Amino acid sequence: MKRRTPLAGVAVATLALLGQTLISSGTTAQAESLLSAGKPTTTSSVEAAEFGGGNAVDGSTTTRWASEEGVDPQWIAVDLGGTSTVTKVKLNWEAAYAKTYKIQGSADGRTWTDIKSIVGGDGGIDEHLGLNASARHIRIHGTARGTTYGYSLWELEVYGDRVGGDTQAPTVPTGLTATATTADSVTLGWTASTDNVGVTEYEVLRDGNVVGTTSTTTYTDSGLASGAEFGYSVRARDAAGNVSAASPVVKAATKPGGTGPVTLALAGDIANPELFSTHQGTANQVAKINPQYVLTVGDNQYHKGTISEYRAHYDKTWGKFKSITKPTTGNHEWDDQLRGYKEYFGAIAYPQGLPYYSYDIGDFHFVAMDSNPIYTGGGSEQVAWLRNDLAKNTKSCVIGYWHHPRFNSGNSGDKKQIAPLWNELAKVKADMVIAGHDHHYERTKPLDVNGHIDEANGVRSVIAGIGGDYLYTDYKAREGVEKILAKHGVMKLMLNGKSYSWEIHDTNGNVLDKAGPYTCR
């Protein structure tokens, strides 16, 4: 039988002293305050305007932040308004939760340090205790989704204690307006905030994310896409790091570029004799887009690309756009050694005497390549031609298109055979490469020659093999993928001066994806 020993006075005093020691050393729970309520947030993306980051710190479990769907990584950060000792983070996930994520801290919202890493998350409510981290900003950085959707939080709650000193935030800036615009810049002005000590700087937010700071009440946001609208707000910061709420959003648009807008329609993997109604449906969408040009990225006609197949199928749907089409070949065209392809398109298929060629539209230089010889291990003369063509180019914007993708989340995977073409485009910091071959759609962030994200110098990759053949759904998003889906449709590509954007329209006219506008390098 175990005996219970009553606590003597000395023991009680000892335990009390021990408790004080533990509290002062941070090994037991300290008094905690909710620090994140109503504080400014920034996010990597939002699924739609109604799912902004502020919903995650508004104290309501009926509003939420939601990121763009199907893309890793994504994040949401909250500015606590001053340096704090963070002891607890509580996350209330919506159905779209993070399976793998990190809790990170920062003093300035720019450089981040990992506080805790989580692997094997299962959604619901995650409560992380005993963090004892010093930070002003807390970020939840998701790297693997638990669903096919995005990341979504009903609430992000950060608890702890503010470090002493000034805790009063400046007043909200007023009178924000766009005072001037150009084709690639917006200049803003506003009325100064007031503070009990003094405002030290203003943070300028474009579409909800900080894009710059200034100590004055004016700011010029440059390097923007032309003919595009943006939403701006401003918030004030004082010397103690207290930040005001953001001013009401003001819309401002850059001026159109000098040679736009120009609309193109594009797809690959188009006319399968077994699926006439499908490529008829994509052709109907091309007609509704009413483009100035139509581009194809190969496998225009199945199964052998013979002239009889072209006349019986492609010609009855996409053929109505032949006079404005700038096509490329695919492996199925090569099944007939390009005979049907050349006979059907005529000089359109080889305007410079070769099945690969280049042309200019406004500020854009396009190169249409014949990737099958490269894919099968030859084509050195084509690579030399491409290198020489790019060296002579004087246009600001460069887009390449061909059939076989260099980087691919589909069942064909990345193909090193296509590196000679991709690498030449990467050397000149081309803006985008569009391909087909795998029957799905995907777009990536700019990628380097090894397929890693390089926002500054990389090339955007797009696969648009959705023109009419059977779709492939066995894909797994590789590094850098921003959107991926398998539905028949057409890419509507819009050029505007030195910027470009695109939409994916399905056969019912629904917009499945939007990208850009992006400014050419």
Side-chain angles (χ1 to χ4, degrees):
M1 179 177 176
K2 292 183 178 179
R3 297 176 59 191
R4 294 180 180 178
T5 303
L7 292 174
V10 173
V12 171
T14 302
L15 284 174
L17 178 61
L18 178 59
Q20 293 174 2
T21 302
L22 289 173
I23 291 172
S24 65
S25 64
T27 55
T28 64
Q30 301 179 10
E32 294 174 324
S33 299
L34 179 58
L35 304 174
S36 53
K39 292 297 193 297
T41 61
T42 52
T43 63
S44 55
S45 69
V46 294
E47 180 184 345
E50 62 267 30
F51 299 121
N55 292 340
V57 293
D58 64 359
S60 171
T61 55
T62 62
T63 60
R64 61 189 175 94
W65 163 68
S67 76
E68 181 181 5
E69 294 184 353
V71 179
D72 297 311
Q74 298 286 344
W75 53 263
I76 179 171
V78 58
D79 184 345
L80 304 177
T83 302
S84 306
T85 299
V86 175
T87 55
K88 179 174 75 174
V89 171
K90 183 178 179 181
L91 305 173
N92 185 351
W93 294 101
E94 194 253 352
Y97 66 93
K99 182 170 61 176
T100 304
Y101 63 97
K102 294 178 179 181
I103 300 172
Q104 299 175 313
S106 174
D108 58 7
R110 299 176 180 88
T111 302
W112 297 91
T113 300
D114 293 346
I115 297 173
K116 186 174 182 178
S117 296
I118 296 86
V119 178
D122 57 2
I125 294 177
D126 291 344
E127 194 166 13
H128 303 284
L129 307 174
L131 300 179
N132 198 32
S134 177
R136 178 197 171 107
H137 304 260
I138 291 294
R139 182 167 77 170
I140 308 303
H141 189 266
T143 55
R145 291 165 285 117
T147 70
T148 57
Y149 301 104
Y151 298 85
S152 185
L153 283 167
W154 294 112
E155 285 295 297
L156 160 58
E157 297 177 355
V158 181
Y159 293 85
D161 296 290
R162 278 287 300 269
V163 175
D166 176 23
T167 60
Q168 182 176 327
T171 60
V172 177
T174 59
L176 177 63
T177 186
T179 59
T181 61
T182 69
D184 63 358
S185 69
V186 172
T187 299
L188 304 165
W190 58 91
T191 302
S193 299
T194 60
D195 184 68
N196 61 319
V197 177
V199 174
T200 57
E201 68 176 9
Y202 296 90
E203 296 178 341
V204 179
L205 294 84
R206 183 204 316 135
D207 296 331
N209 290 307
V210 176
V211 293
T213 60
T214 176
S215 59
T216 70
T217 56
T218 62
Y219 181 81
T220 298
D221 188 21
S222 57
L224 303 174
S226 54
E229 185 179 67
F230 306 95
Y232 289 97
S233 57
V234 180
R235 59 195 188 201
R237 183 193 294 268
D238 66 17
N242 300 299
V243 179
S244 74
S247 66
V249 172
V250 170
K251 298 289 187 179
T254 52
K255 294 179 179 179
T259 56
V262 177
T263 300
L264 302 84
L266 179 148
D269 305 273
I270 298 170
N272 187 323
E274 302 161 11
L275 299 173
F276 182 83
S277 63
T278 304
H279 61 90
Q280 184 177 53
T282 57
N284 290 342
Q285 289 308 309
V286 174
K288 290 180 181 179
I289 291 170
N290 191 26
Q292 284 101 318
Y293 302 93
V294 171
L295 280 55
T296 72
V297 286
D299 283 1
N300 313 294
Q301 177 61 61
Y302 293 88
H303 294 284
K304 297 294 184 179
T306 63
I307 187 60
S308 61
E309 287 177 324
Y310 263 101
R311 289 170 177 166
H313 306 288
Y314 183 96
D315 188 60
K316 290 179 170 58
T317 57
W318 284 62
K320 67 185 71 173
F321 315 113
K322 183 163 71 169
S323 64
I324 59 170
T325 298
K326 295 185 177 297
T328 59
T329 68
N331 49 288
H332 283 273
E333 276 77 26
W334 271 97
D335 285 343
D336 191 42
Q337 297 300 304
L338 302 189
R339 288 187 293 263
Y341 172 79
K342 289 183 176 181
E343 184 174 350
Y344 179 76
F345 284 110
I348 293 173
Y350 45 99
Q352 299 166 13
L354 299 165
Y356 45 90
Y357 54 95
S358 66
Y359 56 93
D360 296 333
I361 302 176
D363 291 302
F364 284 76
H365 183 67
F366 285 83
V367 286
M369 306 306 296
D370 177 21
S371 65
N372 202 68
I374 308 293
Y375 184 74
T376 55
S380 59
E381 74 289 346
Q382 185 177 170
V383 176
W385 177 92
L386 175 61
R387 185 181 303 119
N388 183 57
D389 178 84
L390 294 173
K392 294 185 294 184
N393 170 52
T394 60
K395 299 296 183 178
S396 301
C397 313
V398 177
I399 292 179
Y401 63 105
W402 55 74
H403 186 59
H404 298 86
R406 170 66 180 93
F407 301 109
N408 180 11
S409 299
N411 60 15
S412 295
D414 295 353
K415 292 300 180 183
K416 291 184 178 180
Q417 300 97 307
I418 303 300
L421 295 181
W422 179 278
N423 293 355
E424 292 301 325
L425 272 293
K427 287 177 185 176
V428 299
K429 297 184 181 181
D431 297 284
M432 181 166 59
V433 166
I434 312 170
H437 195 54
D438 260 25
H439 303 175
H440 70 278
Y441 164 76
E442 72 174 91
R443 63 175 167 90
T444 73
K445 294 179 182 293
L447 304 177
D448 66 14
V449 295
N450 297 309
H452 300 308
I453 297 170
D454 183 350
E455 297 275 9
N457 302 304
V459 182
R460 296 184 189 279
S461 174
V462 173
I463 296 175
I466 53 176
D469 196 19
Y470 294 102
L471 296 170
Y472 299 166
T473 59
D474 52 341
Y475 49 73
K476 183 177 181 181
R478 70 176 313 284
E479 178 185 348
V481 169
E482 295 180 310
K483 188 74 172 184
I484 187 167
L485 56 89
K487 287 189 176 181
H488 289 114
V490 177
M491 180 179 180
K492 178 183 179 182
L493 176 60
M494 293 158 282
L495 316 179
N496 193 345
K498 296 180 181 179
S499 67
Y500 62 102
S501 60
W502 70 89
E503 300 171 348
I504 300 299
H505 293 207
D506 71 10
T507 53
N508 294 318
N510 300 311
V511 177
L512 304 179
D513 187 36
K514 291 185 177 183
Y518 304 110
T519 301
C520 300
R521 298 192 179 94

